[in-house]
Amino acid sequence: MLIRQGDARDSRLDRKLAFALAAVAGGLNAAAFHEVGFFSANMTGNVSALSSLLAMGQWANGLGYLAIILAFITGAMVSTLAIGAGLRRAIVTIYARVILGEAALLALLGVSRMALDRAAGVPLLIIGLAFLMGLQNAIVTHISNARVRTTHISGMSTDIGIGLARMLDILRGKADSVDRGEIMTRLNLHAGTVLSFLLGGIAGVLAWRIVGDLCFVIAGLVLAAVAATSMQSGAQIISPNDPLD
């Protein structure tokens, strides 16, 4: 799931990756919003809120939203640098390793939240999650050649609408059916990712209401399991001369 990349991936691998990571991202985003009222992965909403505050002259309040946006961008940048370094060294498990790093940081974030005062921990939670969501989104963008997104669903919702329109044209005989299989494959991927994000969000809120900030640690363990499974599969094709393995 986190070993093959680009055109070497098939639709099955894309779906497994998208559904698993979208569920985690949906859970984190919804749990954080339920707890503190901020979205960690919705950069469209955060930029809109920032522009509104700036227009009203509320510069100080806008700094919080600016920090969230910069944290997301920084996470994507760090992820890309790590992946690039790993690929140059021919480390086939580099994507899984970055996900494992995300899992460790997420668990640490959850533990830190439990140790801090509730109000004092709000900036740490949102900025930390924004960084991790940027990191995760960059991973799946690179490994899938931008076919998969897991931390936000605006683009996928648009793609679902486009795909449904194209299928409607085919069913009405107004378009060639030669691309029907490809369209259905993409619809399954995008619709399943949106559904996974939704179900993950429901599970995230319920988990937070039951175990509180421990839910972030649990999400980290889920990501660690995904990474470990891929690293175990990748170990079968790693050269014995790989200095890191």
Side-chain angles (χ1 to χ4, degrees):
M1 185 161 52
L2 287 166
I3 301 300
R4 298 182 184 276
Q5 61 186 63
D7 294 335
R9 299 178 62 83
D10 57 23
S11 59
R12 178 184 62 85
L13 286 177
D14 279 348
R15 285 195 301 271
K16 289 176 64 177
L17 176 67
F19 297 172
L21 296 190
V24 172
L28 294 174
N29 212 36
F33 181 77
H34 183 75
E35 182 176 1
V36 299
F38 287 89
F39 286 116
S40 58
N42 182 8
M43 293 305 108
T44 303
N46 289 327
V47 171
S48 296
L50 173 61
S51 63
S52 176
L53 290 170
L54 292 178
M56 293 187 294
Q58 299 180 22
W59 297 81
N61 292 334
L63 291 178
Y65 287 99
L66 178 61
I68 295 172
I69 297 164
L70 293 178
F72 189 92
I73 293 172
T74 301
M77 182 179 69
V78 169
S79 177
T80 301
L81 290 172
I83 291 169
L87 293 178
R88 286 191 296 272
R89 299 184 66 182
I91 301 174
V92 299
T93 57
I94 184 58
Y95 294 101
R97 293 186 186 199
V98 179
I99 286 288
L100 189 60
E102 179 191 359
L105 290 174
L106 182 56
L108 179 61
L109 181 63
V111 172
S112 299
R113 275 285 297 170
M114 289 186 283
L116 290 173
D117 175 79
R118 305 297 297 173
V122 170
L124 173 67
L125 175 65
I126 297 303
I127 293 175
L129 285 179
F131 174 86
L132 294 175
M133 292 298 93
L135 184 144
Q136 177 179 305
N137 207 48
I139 294 170
V140 296
T141 298
H142 284 290
I143 199 172
S144 69
N145 281 351
R147 290 189 299 270
V148 175
R149 292 287 196 277
T150 61
T151 64
H152 53 277
I153 62 172
S154 299
M156 284 177 290
S157 299
T158 302
D159 291 336
I160 290 171
I162 292 172
L164 290 174
R166 293 180 65 187
M167 284 300 300
L168 184 59
D169 277 345
I170 291 174
L171 292 175
R172 295 189 304 165
K174 296 183 178 297
D176 196 330
S177 63
V178 66
D179 294 329
R180 182 171 184 168
E182 181 181 353
I183 295 171
M184 286 303 303
T185 296
R186 292 181 179 178
L187 275 174
N188 289 335
L189 171 64
H190 296 140
T193 303
V194 172
L195 180 60
S196 296
F197 194 91
L198 171 66
L199 296 177
I202 295 172
V205 172
L206 292 176
W208 183 84
R209 297 186 68 178
I210 295 171
V211 299
D213 291 320
L214 186 61
C215 69
F216 300 114
V217 179
I218 295 172
L221 293 176
V222 172
L223 287 177
V226 171
T229 300
S230 293
M231 290 177 72
Q232 184 177 16
S233 300
Q236 302 175 4
I237 59 175
I238 294 176
S239 167
N241 295 321
D242 186 341
L244 296 185
D245 296 277

